[in-house]
Amino acid sequence: MHSEPSFALPGRSTPAPVPTDRDRLDAAARFVREQDTPVLLSRVLPGLDGPELRALTDRCRFAHVAVLVFPPDGRALRAELAACGLPADGPARPSVVVRDRLAARHGHHPGDLEVRILRPEVRGPAEERRTVEVFALSVPPGSGLSGIASDERGADREAHLAFDVERPDPLVLRGLLASFARHGAAPDGGGYNPHEDGTVFYLTAPEGTKTPYRRLELYAGGDHRDVLAEHLAGTPEAPYPRQPDGPRRPDAARPAETLLRLLTGAWTTQALAVCAELRLPEAMDRHAGKRVPELAGAVGAHPRGLAVLLRYLAALGVVSRGPDGYRLTDTGALLDDAAPASMRPLALMYGGPFYASFAHLAHAVRSGEPGFDRLHGENHFDHFARDPELAALFDRSMASSAPLFDPLPGHPVLTAAATASGRPRTVVDVAGGTGELLGRVLTAHPALRGVLLERPQVLPAARTRLTALGVGERCSYRPGDFADVPQGADVYVLSRVLHDWDDDRCRTILRHCADAMPEGADLLVVERLLPADDSPSLATAWDLHMLCNTGGRERTADHYARLFGECGLVLAGSAPLALGAHALHARKAPEGVAEGAAGG
């Protein structure tokens, strides 16, 4: 039997007094412990049964119930969790989605609201792992945020139950959202959380739903903002937020405020770059706060100047401020040079050489020629080649996007090569930098051998890295350029190479690869894909970056298919990766297939 919380939630008559934070935490924990996914889905969506219920159960797993609470501080929150039997030893992460929803509803700047997420684990009826998702906005006694706490406790708008989407991809997500819509669930917002690389789809439960929770969440790991844009298009527009205890602002202020925030985006880039340049993350701690004078002395900064920077970084979620000073968040920790997959080199590159070239974006738009070339009188590859320190920073910045590669070693092409009988199979990473990707592939598949083709000056760093990973003895190092692609390998990889070049140069690169590939060999091309429509996409931003800095471009899947077809290759498939990237799988076109036929 599945019990319900003893207090009412939105849509039911609410008894007085309003339930306390502990009441709501305790009810949520009991609900999560008792529910069975198929039964819960049939209760959430009345009329769902048979094959459609089985299909949803195969793709959706009941994961958590969410509660928004307002403790006076972190210590009080952990005491409340402990009183409800909820372990509170996990990390707290920033919540972008709930923060922005609260800011919009109550007329606050998002930077004024530090909403954190904790996910204490509980066990379901079959001992499956679940969580109570606790959103926490600290409201000390006498705080100006007390009105938000009072209003939100009464309405409980953020309370919801959530399902994790198994093996999400755009087709699956669209199908799931359509199934929920057929049974009366309506879009109710959502967002992408870059702190977790996950996409949230909120829905309003249908009339007649048999749980006390009137909001639903589908959570899909990865960046699915193209599908999210379609979902948000069906979300009723919320009224313009009211200032606390004040009148509704005129509608004209909203676009002006939006534009003003967009215009300050350059300040954010520079703030992050300066944070990295000062090595501020290395001087901070994630668990204990440090005060401004101590940090200023550690990094060689003016105390007031550093205080202003830290306040801005706190609004971005890079640091957090508490009674004991400033702490580093999980996001800010990525700017620590010693962090795994550190993004410090990327911050220095985007805030340095590439930032300077964006001052010449108007030239790039008018002429089609890179702003970088106008600034330096040469293309960025030649410019970096003459500056070893800058070239090394660029190579390290490319390695900063390592999470993009996480799923790639599991690609069927690489798995098939690794498990093939007979001779060892070889993977060639063309222009593979310092070996970040090839190292992951060889680590995941001990049966494979590797070849790294790169500029001579990069190979020593690659050799050092691959040796440190313990795969150096299975790798050979080939100095050269695209005309030197070694022949006779089994898998060829072009990762984030083609977007640097125009179509003519891409065709030259692809023909070199096609000429080197024996029959039956595979080519994996890793790139961000532009959406076929105007859906939000990371690739759209990188397309502008390519225009201004390299003269290259991002492309749609169909565009790549046409390029493949013009070079004797055919697009065999595409698989999503992290950070908006895809792995395009190409093979040699069968004899008799006309040039360009693959582009249809």
Side-chain angles (χ1 to χ4, degrees), residues 96-450:
V96 174
V97 178
V98 171
R99 179 200 67 185
D100 290 351
R101 285 169 62 88
L102 288 176
R105 276 202 295 270
H106 297 279
H108 279 260
H109 188 285
D112 298 335
L113 305 177
E114 186 180 347
V115 182
R116 312 293 288 181
I117 310 173
L118 288 97
R119 293 190 175 91
E121 185 178 299
V122 297
R123 297 284 179 161
E127 290 301 306
E128 60 268 55
R129 293 184 175 183
R130 295 173 177 169
T131 62
V132 175
E133 186 170 74
V134 182
F135 298 106
L137 173 64
S138 293
V139 181
S143 166
L145 303 179
S146 298
I148 293 180
S150 176
D151 179 71
E152 293 292 334
R153 280 196 182 106
D156 223 1
R157 298 182 188 92
E158 298 302 327
H160 63 262
L161 57 85
F163 298 89
D164 284 349
V165 180
E166 305 282 351
R167 308 178 300 282
D169 62 45
L171 185 62
V172 166
L173 289 172
R174 289 184 177 100
L176 289 174
L177 292 168
S179 290
F180 275 79
R182 276 196 301 274
H183 291 273
D188 188 30
Y192 171 68
N193 190 341
H195 301 289
E196 298 182 347
D197 188 28
T199 309
V200 174
F201 302 85
Y202 286 127
L203 303 106
T204 301
E207 289 296 326
T209 189
K210 299 175 183 177
T211 80
Y213 295 96
R214 289 299 184 261
R215 293 185 70 237
L216 313 173
E217 173 193 312
L218 292 181
Y219 178 86
D223 185 347
H224 301 284
R225 279 180 279 188
D226 49 350
V227 182
L228 178 64
E230 300 166 12
H231 176 75
L232 294 178
T235 301
E237 186 173 355
Y240 195 70
R242 175 181 57 85
Q243 289 280 17
D245 303 317
R248 181 186 298 268
R249 291 178 292 176
D251 287 345
R254 188 173 192 178
E257 182 178 329
T258 298
L259 183 59
L260 190 61
R261 291 181 182 174
L262 293 173
L263 287 170
T264 63
W267 304 350
T268 296
T269 304
Q270 283 301 304
L272 294 173
V274 171
C275 175
E277 181 181 340
L278 292 174
R279 293 191 177 274
L280 191 56
E282 288 88 336
M284 297 182 71
D285 191 282
R286 274 195 271 184
H287 307 293
K290 290 188 178 181
R291 301 192 183 280
V292 172
E294 179 185 1
L295 288 171
V299 302
H302 187 280
R304 182 184 176 277
L306 184 61
V308 173
L309 176 65
L310 284 166
R311 191 180 303 121
Y312 188 81
L313 293 173
L316 299 176
V318 175
V319 302
S320 64
R321 186 178 185 181
D324 57 347
Y326 284 96
R327 302 184 184 194
L328 199 61
T329 66
D330 289 346
T331 300
L334 289 172
L335 293 174
D336 186 331
D337 204 30
S342 169
M343 299 181 76
R344 180 176 186 270
L346 206 61
L348 296 175
M349 184 62 66
Y350 286 170
F354 289 150
Y355 185 90
S357 67
F358 261 98
H360 300 273
L361 178 61
H363 168 78
V365 172
R366 289 191 180 105
S367 68
E369 300 171 354
F372 193 103
D373 295 24
R374 179 180 177 87
L375 176 64
H376 295 286
E378 59 186 342
N379 70 61
H380 94 285
F381 294 107
D382 292 339
H383 184 73
F384 290 175
R386 293 192 303 100
D387 186 336
E389 186 174 333
L390 189 57
L393 176 62
F394 175 73
D395 289 333
R396 292 199 304 274
S397 74
M398 292 294 288
S400 293
S401 297
L404 180 152
F405 298 138
D406 284 342
L408 196 65
H411 193 283
V413 162
L414 293 168
T415 302
T419 56
S421 59
R423 61 173 178 79
R425 268 37 177 192
T426 300
V427 177
V428 176
D429 194 353
V430 179
T434 56
E436 184 70 32
L437 172 56
L438 188 58
R440 287 170 179 251
V441 171
L442 296 182
T443 299
H445 301 296
L448 292 178
R449 302 190 65 81

